[in-house]
Amino acid sequence: MKFRFLLWAMGLLMARASRNNPAFQQQLQDKDLVFQMQTLDGKIARHFFVRNLRVTSKSGLHPQPAFAIAFRDPAYGFATLQSSNKQLAFMQGIQDKHIQIKGNPALVIWFQGLMKHLKPRKKA
């Protein structure tokens, strides 16, 4: 349940950032694609549409995402996405075959760069 909620919240945060954050919008420039995050068995999945400098999301599997990140199980997906060092957690998960990347790996790197803009801003 926590993993499903986290994916939904990520969709909300990305939708808001696509409307209000110029740095996030710049990363969306010239992108028109669908990507997906899911469990390996596909029971929990959410896909994200990137179109016209906006991000929207829907629950469930998409038939042809540009890339998909599949986690071993919901608990592992939640722990990885909540990790303090996400890049290390992703690399370790891929190496241990607990995370599978389907589709274009270059877009996964783009996605990780996009996620940096979702961190809460520190007060000056």
Side-chain angles (χ1 to χ4, degrees):
M1 191 66 169
K2 289 195 279 186
F3 182 60
R4 189 183 312 264
F5 179 76
L6 180 62
L7 294 180
W8 173 80
M10 280 177 56
L12 223 57
L13 289 172
M14 284 191 278
R16 183 183 305 151
S18 73
R19 291 190 306 272
N20 304 325
N21 184 333
F24 190 88
Q25 290 170 337
Q26 188 173 1
Q27 294 289 322
L28 301 178
Q29 200 77 35
D30 301 324
K31 296 285 188 223
D32 186 1
L33 57 93
V34 177
F35 65 91
Q36 183 166 279
M37 301 189 78
Q38 66 182 75
T39 54
L40 280 174
D41 62 11
K43 288 183 179 177
I44 298 175
R46 187 159 200 93
H47 53 279
F48 303 85
F49 297 93
V50 178
R51 191 170 291 127
N52 299 325
L53 299 179
R54 293 289 182 263
V55 177
T56 57
S57 73
K58 283 184 80 173
S59 169
L61 295 168
H62 189 275
Q64 290 185 313
F67 72 90
I69 301 172
F71 298 94
R72 174 184 72 199
D73 56 43
Y76 189 82
F78 183 82
T80 302
L81 292 172
Q82 290 294 100
S83 170
S84 59
N85 188 344
K86 288 175 189 48
Q87 192 168 12
L88 178 64
F90 263 90
M91 296 307 288
Q92 188 68 46
I94 291 168
Q95 188 175 19
D96 295 342
K97 298 191 183 340
H98 297 313
I99 299 174
Q100 289 183 10
I101 306 297
K102 302 169 186 174
N104 187 341
L107 289 173
V108 175
I109 295 167
W110 164 80
F111 170 72
Q112 287 182 323
L114 196 64
M115 291 294 96
K116 291 176 187 173
H117 298 290
L118 293 184
K119 290 182 181 176
R121 293 184 182 168
K122 294 180 182 172
K123 294 181 181 176

